[in-house]
Structure formats: C-alpha cells, structure tokens
Amino acid sequence: MNSPISGSAAEGAYDRLHPKIRRWIRDQGWDELREIQARAIGTILDGTGDVVIAAATAAGKTEAAFLPILTLIAERKGGGFSAVYVSPLKALINDQFRRLDELCEAMEIPVVKWHGDASQAEKKKAIAKPSGIVLITPESIEAMLTRRPGDAARLFGAADFIVVDELHAFLQGPRGLHVASLLKRLDAMAQKPARRVGLSATIGDLNQAMAWLRPTAPQTVDLLLAKADAPELRLQIRGYVEPPDLDDPDHAEGSGQDVQAPRRIALDAICDHLFPTLRGTNNLVFGGSRRTVESAADRLRRRCEKAGVPNEFYPHHGSLSKTFREDLEIRLKDGSLPTTAVCTSTLELGVDIGSVKSVAQIGAPRSLSSLRQRLGRTGRRRGTPSILRVYVREPYVDVKSSILDQLRSNTIRSVAVVRLLLAGFVEPAAPSPETVSTLIHQVLSVIAERGGIRAKPLFDLLCGPGPFDSIEPADFAQLLRHLGSPEVRMLEQAPDGVLMLGSEGEKIVQSRDFFAVFESSEEWRLTAAGRTLGALPISFPVHKDSLVVFAGQRWIVLDVDEGGKVLSVAPHPGGMVPRFEPSSGEPAHDRLLAEMRAVYLDNDVPEYLDKAAQELLAEGRDTFRALDLDRRSVIQEERDLHLFVWRSSQTTAVFGAALGMAGLECGIHDLGVTVPKTTSAEMLPILEKLGSMSALDPMDVAAFVKNVRAGKFQDFVPETLAQKQWALQNGQFVGTATAIAKTLR
DNA sequence: GACCTGCTGCGGTATG
C-alpha cells in the first residue's frame, strides 16, 4: 500500500512512525498528516528536550504529541508508566481515553484513566503493574503523593514524557501553581527527569508558556506553532436598552420578582430575537452568570411552549447536576435533535460537543482569550463560517442619569473587543495572588509524603525557579515559624530540626478536600422526586414554599433539610431566579481600554452593529465629546468626582488603593474611579502630591489594599508576607499609578 | 461586577 500521506515533509514524518501506528492511520482513512503533526513527529523523535505545541482547537494536537511519543515508548514494558498525561478536566480525560485506547490496544500499550470517577479496579491493576500511559488530573497526582507515597515513585519515577493538556488553563491561578509544583516534585523522584510536552490553543504570550513548562531553562523549549487558518467570521452586535428604574435585569418573566406592573426588560427582547434565530439548529448562548443563564433558558423554554413546539433550549452551568449536563452534551454532540445550550463558561473548553452553527453572547465580552475559545466552538467544519452574535444591554438614561451610563461603555467595549479579535490579540497570563496559600498546601503535602523533612531541603525542593520563585529563604523561614506557632499548629518541629505535621496540619491533610488547591463553598443539594437537580448557594434565602427557577424549570420548595443541606422541590408555575455567590469581575487588559478610547475618538460606524447598537455608539461618542474626555480626565458630577484612567482593571485597582492611602474611598469601574463627596478643588492637590512622589513604596500601598491575602489557605498567610507578595506582583502598577496621577486634569 | 475545575480509603452489601 502506498503511503496515504501527501507532501514530502509529512511523508518523511509518517515513515518514521511505528509500523502499527502507520497501519492505524491508514485504517482511520486519514489522507494526510496535519502540518503540526508532521512537525511534532520530527521534533519529538529527533530532540531530547521539552516541547510546546500551540494550535487551534480541533487541529489534532493530541495526536501530534502521542504519535511520536507512542513510537518512542512502544518497546518499553512495565517498570512504571512511560507517559503521564495531565488534564484539568475529568471529561477531557474520558474523551482522550476514547481516542487513544483503540490505537494503544493495537500496540499493546495499556492506557488507564485516573481520576475520582474512574474505576477503582483499573487503578488497582495499574498500581500492581504500572505500564504504558496514565491519563490523570492534578488532584489525583496530589492524592497519590500524599496517600501512597511508597507507590508514587514506582509509578511515576520512570516516565519518559509528561504531557500537559490545555496548558493555557495552567498559566495562571492557583491550580497552575499547583501543577507546576507537582512537576518539580515528580522530577525530584525520577531517575531521569521526564520530557515535558505542553498542548494549548490560545496563548497570549508564548514566552510565559515556555517558562511555565521548564522554569530552569525556558529557552531550551521547542515551540511548534500551527499556522492559523481561521474560518470566515460573521458577526453582529445588537443593542438593547433596559426600562427605567430597573432593579434586576435577570428577573424571571411574569414572576413576583417583577413587583411593579409587568414590563419588558432587555432580556425579554433578546430572547425574542434568539428564539426564532437559533431554533432548528445547534448553538451555544453564553450568559455570563448562572443567574442570567437560568433566566434566559426559562424565557426560551416558555417561547417554545407558547409556540406549541418541543423545547430545544437547555441551561448548562457548574451548579447543575452531572446527569443534566451530560445529557445535554450528548444531545449536542449527537446532533439528531436541534439543541441550544444556554451556558456559563462550562462549555468554553474541553468536552467534545461537535461543531455548533453559531455562538451568542449576552453582555459585552471583556476577555479576548475567553471569546476566542468560545468562537472555536463554531465553524469547525471546512467551508462553514464562524457566527457570533453579541447582545449588549445598556441602562435607561435621561437627563438625570450618571455620565457613566451615558457613555454607553458596554457598547463601546463590544466594538473594541471585536477590533482586537480581528487584530489577533490575546491577553497574557496575569500574576496569581494565591502564591503563598498554594505554597502552604505544598509544604503540608511534602511533609505528608515524606513523613518529615528539614527546612533547607524543603525550600530547595519547592522554591527556586518555578511557581514559588518569588519566595526568598527569609520569607520561607517566616512562613514556617508562623505555621508552627502555637496559634496555628499546622507544623511541629522535632528537636533534631525535622518538620512534621502539627495537629491542625494533620486534620487538613487527612480531609477529603485537601487535594484541590482551590476553595469550594457550601451548598444546598436540590432534589425533585428523589432525583438530584444540582446545587444552590447556601446564602440563597430558602424556606418551605419558596419559589425557584433552576435547571430551566420552575419549582416550589416542599421541604428544607437543614442538617443534610437538602432542598426537596416540586414543579410549580412561579419562581424566582436564585442569586449565586457574587465575586469580582473578569479583568480588562490595558490594550482593551486603549482600544475603547480609540473607539470613542473614531467616527466610523461598523456595519456589524444593528440600528439600536449604532444609536448607542453615537450616544456614547456624543457624551465623550460633550465632556471633552479627549483632553480632560477629571469630571465633577454633582457631589461625585470621576477620574478617567483608561487602564487595565489591575492598574485601576492599584490607583484606587493609592488614593486610599490619601484617605479617599473610591469606587472602581472599567473607565477609572469615582470618588464620592469630593470636589476637583480638593482632589487636585492630592493628585499633585501623588504624582510628585517619585518613589512611592509598593509596601506602603499594600497596607491600603483590601484582601491582600488570597487562596484556600489565606487565613494562614502571615499579613506581612502577603503584603510583600502583593508589592512584588503590583510594584510596576504602583509606578504607573503615580504616572497617571501626573497626567490627570 | 463571574465563571470554572477536583477528591482517598475504608467497610459495608450485592452480584457473578
């Protein structure tokens, strides 16, 4: 049989694969290897170092990594896993298992799924005879190290490769710090450190990815970038204005939440457009919050009922039970019934749901990396376009309204985001404020793993180049002393200096929720006729006869089990949409604010705006000009003073903290800060003083920052260490804040 | 003015 692979480079790559892999490729009916796959085969077979493979979704990254890896490990038998694949999602492990299992079976290489829902028997088998490939979550690696330290080295210590999937998901946040630390610890127990292969779709700064993958030698990481061949993009931005005096833009249609006479809110009009536009095809609607998702899904279901047609709109978010979510994912992938999922960010990455016809977004986006990921769900078949509809909600305004509302910043932001999307911009990863909290977790974990360890080898194992590089020996000593203090009792020190777990540390490590480095909140479990619907935040006020909209249906609470934290419900026509826990918003990048300013200054009216959005854009620009915001940045509005900063959320927050030092409490928004009950006459000398401080010490600003501590173990982080870390991560923004103060006028 | 992610080991019982 002739080689099915065309192109000389690809042909060469194909010929170098293991004969059984070549047969499998022919059996798949593939007529060519993708370019990224051919290049990965060359790099992995010829090289000895680490590799980052960055390519669009559905470009065949998994095969790009595993075809050459399997070729190299084909002849290895037993003696530990040959390759460790780390994934942030169980669902992704299940998908990859289906893709790898058949190929590996042909090669007689075992593959084992290793996560909380995976078969105990399979895991036991692998512990007895570890071999081949393991597909595992970070938390399961953590559990292995702390609960079976004797087995860990035998299982992982001989691996030739560690593959990290969805690498971009680990470039920031506590879980990224956690996995990076686990990689170091796996290296420390290995006879020879494994080669690392990172797989990713959207990465804003590739240097960050290389540094994350091999902190000791980022420049040695081979980088394989797939040429982007993005499908044609069709897009529309639609504008909607809320009615006057609205207190809840997500309330349930025709419910008691609508206290005054029922009236139409923006969400009603948005769903009036979504219903006929999306019906009959598969789509994703991103709602932004679980509350908006429930409210919109409920409206769309009612429109189906009214039209006398079967419902095809279903909610999907993290509080819904697994069964609901999986049923919907299967229905989307299967494709025999038209289906639209109204979701939060749950369907943004990972799980295989096939290609959808269009993506809709309720509310103006703020993050390019997330919008890109969402768009990647459409236009996956050759020749079909990506379709994106953005539904922008703006408040009602009249002469008494705040200028912040009159500036129509949501509409402006939508236009700016589209411009940056077309320009190919993606935000880099932001620093993670959970550093010390995650270090505490790893300190406890290493002590549990080894039974006890002295401070110096503990520091050498965890710190230095890598996730905790910013922790100096003196910081580490301070942290250990604090953890060992009589008030904390996380650690104890034996007379010979060996650190061991204290009574509190023992309790924490033994608990079932030790393995994850992120927090989880307490919730009510919601059941109907014995079936679990999902979970509601414990803060949601409930009592018998409460009405609730959940899982796309309306319910009445029959019974409240305080002890078991269970709510029993039954279908009911009324219902309130529950409020979930609020937290801080998605951060905006400097470049987005610069682009928003450019949109205000320009005169072009993009043709992708509907008539209402065009009017909102014009209103925003008129207000911008009337206030002369091109030249002015300090605007008095009655007793409030607005300072227009035009910088990232992080810079604006630091600027706000610097004002806090001067005794001014202020509110922070996209465009800048608002200081209540202050005049520009009072403000100008303060700004002048701030601007003249050439060396404002970030440590001094840190003292005025609320929530300087973050993460699961934030209560155990010494305040001064938290402030020092904040100053390290925000020092550059403090400098920017003084520079901003100089320019405001 | 937000979202998402993860989970051991034991003892009990039922089933092939």
Side-chain angles (χ1 to χ4, degrees):
Chain A
M1 188 184 200
N2 287 333
S3 159
I5 305 304
S6 56
S8 58
E11 205 165 313
Y14 172 81
D15 291 337
R16 300 182 65 189
L17 293 172
H18 192 278
K20 284 180 176 162
I21 298 182
R22 296 206 297 260
R23 180 187 302 164
W24 178 83
I25 289 177
R26 290 196 298 270
D27 290 348
Q28 297 301 296
W30 291 9
D31 54 357
E32 57 174 13
L33 283 177
R34 300 262 172 80
E35 194 228 345
I36 191 79
Q37 293 167 340
R39 283 164 61 205
I41 290 166
T43 305
I44 292 174
L45 292 185
D46 293 332
T48 54
D50 309 312
V51 186
V52 166
I53 303 176
T57 36
K61 286 190 293 288
T62 318
E63 287 78 9
F66 276 104
L67 298 182
I69 288 177
L70 287 168
T71 296
L72 286 173
I73 66 171
E75 306 310 326
R76 261 191 67 174
K77 294 275 177 268
F81 295 121
S82 305
V84 180
Y85 162 96
V86 185
S87 155
L89 300 174
K90 289 183 288 193
L92 202 53
I93 286 177
N94 297 340
D95 281 348
Q96 302 292 28
F97 179 80
R98 271 176 238 126
R99 291 166 73 177
L100 281 173
D101 192 41
E102 192 196 334
L103 166 60
C104 290
E105 203 178 341
M107 301 183 69
E108 292 170 57
I109 295 176
V111 190
V112 60
K113 282 187 277 191
W114 198 298
H115 57 64
D117 301 337
S119 144
Q120 292 266 6
E122 293 290 319
K123 289 192 254 184
K124 272 199 184 131
K125 236 168 68 187
I127 289 173
K129 268 187 79 180
S131 164
I133 301 177
V134 60
L135 313 177
I136 193 166
T137 59
E139 288 71 21
S140 285
I141 297 178
E142 180 64 54
M144 193 75 213
L145 294 180
T146 48
R147 295 288 200 265
R148 297 174 165 271
D151 293 325
R154 192 169 53 84
L155 266 65
F156 298 116
D160 294 313
F161 289 94
I162 297 179
V163 179
V164 181
D165 204 357
E166 306 284 358
L167 182 61
H168 58 276
F170 293 124
L171 294 185
Q172 59 181 9
R175 215 163 167 220
L177 299 170
H178 185 200
V179 179
S181 178
L182 292 175
L183 291 184
K184 276 185 94 151
R185 293 169 62 190
L186 290 180
D187 266 8
M189 65 171 55
Q191 299 126 32
K192 178 177 160 239
R195 294 173 69 184
R196 299 174 183 169
V197 179
L199 310 179
S200 186
T202 47
I203 288 192
D205 180 349
L206 289 158
N207 291 318
Q208 288 180 328
M210 292 153 76
W212 187 95
L213 195 65
R214 184 63 72 180
T216 49
Q219 69 285 356
T220 65
V221 177
D222 277 310
L223 182 61
L224 299 180
L225 270 180
K227 276 184 251 147
D229 49 345
E232 176 203 350
L233 173 64
R234 292 190 198 160
L235 79 106
Q236 185 177 40
I237 297 177
R238 302 180 60 87
Y240 295 84
V241 177
E242 299 285 6
D245 306 317
L246 181 76
D247 50 331
D248 180 3
D250 290 322
H251 68 67
E253 201 169 28
S255 75
Q257 251 160 314
D258 202 355
V259 275
Q260 297 144 26
R263 55 189 175 154
R264 287 172 51 79
I265 60 173
L267 199 57
D268 293 309
I270 291 170
C271 291
D272 284 346
H273 186 262
L274 285 171
F275 174 69
T277 311
L278 304 188
R279 218 171 75 75
T281 55
N282 281 13
N283 307 276
L284 295 181
V285 176
F286 289 94
S289 74
R290 285 172 280 193
R291 189 170 156 75
T292 308
V293 161
E294 285 291 354
S295 204
D298 176 61
R299 279 175 169 76
L300 291 163
R301 178 186 53 80
R302 285 164 55 107
R303 277 157 183 72
C304 288
E305 273 169 17
K306 234 178 184 169
V309 297
N311 181 34
E312 56 190 73
F313 298 90
Y314 299 91
H316 191 285
H317 57 74
S319 295
L320 280 172
S321 81
K322 214 177 127 174
T323 352
F324 276 116
R325 292 164 60 170
E326 282 174 354
D327 287 353
L328 178 54
E329 289 157 24
I330 291 165
R331 186 176 154 148
L332 273 167
K333 191 176 171 180
D334 173 59
S336 58
L337 292 170
T339 309
T340 291
V342 188
C343 58
T344 53
S345 58
T346 36
L347 292 175
E348 195 171 291
L349 71 114
V351 288
D352 183 9
I353 51 160
S355 186
V356 296
K357 185 174 181 205
S358 80
V359 163
Q361 158 97 26
I362 302 177
R366 202 178 256 107
S367 148
L368 271 297
S369 68
S370 140
L371 183 64
R372 257 171 199 285
Q373 205 78 40
R374 292 173 185 189
L375 263 180
R377 292 298 193 166
T378 88
R380 291 162 80 112
R381 290 192 205 100
R382 271 182 203 172
T384 61
S386 278
I387 302 176
L388 170 68
R389 296 184 180 87
V390 179
Y391 296 82
V392 183
R393 292 188 281 188
E394 293 280 11
Y396 174 88
V397 300
D398 58 23
V399 285
K400 294 174 299 196
S401 301
S402 163
I403 57 167
L404 295 180
D405 288 346
Q406 296 186 45
L407 276 165
R408 300 308 195 189
S409 63
N410 296 325
T411 307
I412 302 286
R413 197 170 76 237
S414 301
V415 175
V417 163
V418 166
R419 287 185 178 191
L420 293 179
L421 179 71
L422 298 176
F425 174 70
V426 180
E427 299 87 356
S432 309
E434 300 88 353
T435 309
V436 185
S437 166
T438 310
L439 177 60
I440 292 173
H441 180 263
Q442 288 298 283
V443 164
L444 296 175
S445 170
V446 170
I447 294 176
E449 177 198 335
R450 310 218 174 171
I453 186 171
R454 286 170 197 276
K456 175 71 166 65
L458 182 60
F459 178 85
D460 292 342
L461 177 62
L462 294 176
C463 301
F468 308 120
D469 202 16
S470 62
I471 304 291
E472 293 171 19
D475 301 328
F476 195 67
Q478 182 198 359
L479 178 63
L480 292 183
R481 272 196 305 276
H482 181 71
L483 295 179
S485 67
E487 310 83 65
V488 180
R489 290 200 294 194
M490 291 267 254
L491 303 182
E492 270 172 25
Q493 195 163 27
D496 62 356
V498 171
L499 294 163
M500 295 171 304
L501 293 178
S503 54
E504 276 306 302
E506 197 73 53
K507 240 188 272 172
I508 289 169
V509 171
Q510 284 312 318
S511 95
R512 189 174 156 278
D513 57 25
F514 174 69
F515 310 111
V517 293
F518 49 86
E519 296 166 276
S520 44
S521 50
E522 220 189 343
E523 290 166 325
W524 294 106
R525 191 161 60 90
L526 213 61
T527 66
R531 187 172 170 219
T532 297
L533 303 174
L536 277 183
I538 212 86
S539 61
F540 181 62
V542 281
H543 49 82
K544 199 173 170 319
D545 298 330
S546 292
L547 302 175
V548 54
V549 172
F550 191 80
Q553 305 275 331
R554 296 171 170 222
W555 314 89
I556 182 166
V557 174
L558 299 178
D559 187 46
V560 179
D561 173 2
E562 288 275 356
K565 294 281 177 277
V566 179
L567 298 179
S568 311
V569 299
H572 189 273
M576 315 253 284
V577 193
R579 284 179 202 277
F580 294 86
E581 300 284 340
S583 80
S584 60
E586 200 173 52
H589 188 267
D590 264 342
R591 180 136 177 220
L592 177 60
L593 269 296
E595 197 65 44
M596 285 177 69
R597 198 160 199 280
V599 173
Y600 277 116
L601 287 164
D602 285 349
N603 290 308
D604 71 307
V605 180
E607 56 185 18
Y608 51 76
L609 299 183
D610 79 337
K611 197 162 163 289
Q614 286 181 17
E615 280 165 20
L616 289 165
L617 175 67
E619 279 177 36
R621 284 172 170 166
D622 287 347
T623 306
F624 184 93
R625 284 182 200 126
L627 294 168
D628 199 17
L629 284 177
D630 187 16
R631 297 191 298 119
R632 295 172 62 203
S633 39
V634 180
I635 305 284
Q636 184 87 48
E637 182 178 42
E638 296 178 9
R639 299 180 67 196
D640 294 343
L641 195 66
H642 303 295
L643 307 181
F644 288 86
V645 172
W646 302 107
R647 296 300 293 261
S648 70
S649 307
Q650 187 159 16
T651 301
T652 307
V654 172
F655 180 72
L659 290 181
M661 279 180 72
L664 294 173
E665 286 291 322
C666 57
I668 291 166
H669 49 84
D670 263 1
L671 305 182
V673 305
T674 296
V675 192
K677 296 177 200 156
T678 303
T679 65
S680 54
E682 290 162 335
M683 176 58 77
L684 288 174
I686 293 172
L687 289 177
E688 204 163 300
K689 187 170 168 226
L690 191 58
S692 69
M693 296 175 78
S694 54
L696 182 58
D697 188 345
M699 278 300 280
D700 294 337
V701 184
F704 286 87
V705 179
K706 291 173 194 122
N707 310 325
V708 73
R709 297 189 286 191
K712 187 178 180 184
F713 297 109
Q714 57 179 284
D715 292 348
F716 305 102
V717 178
E719 181 80 10
T720 52
L721 185 52
Q723 289 177 351
K724 188 174 170 190
Q725 285 291 310
W726 185 92
L728 278 173
Q729 293 186 342
N730 293 277
Q732 51 168 321
F733 305 111
V734 171
T736 309
T738 58
I740 290 168
K742 236 179 272 184
T743 62
L744 293 183
R745 62 206 156 195

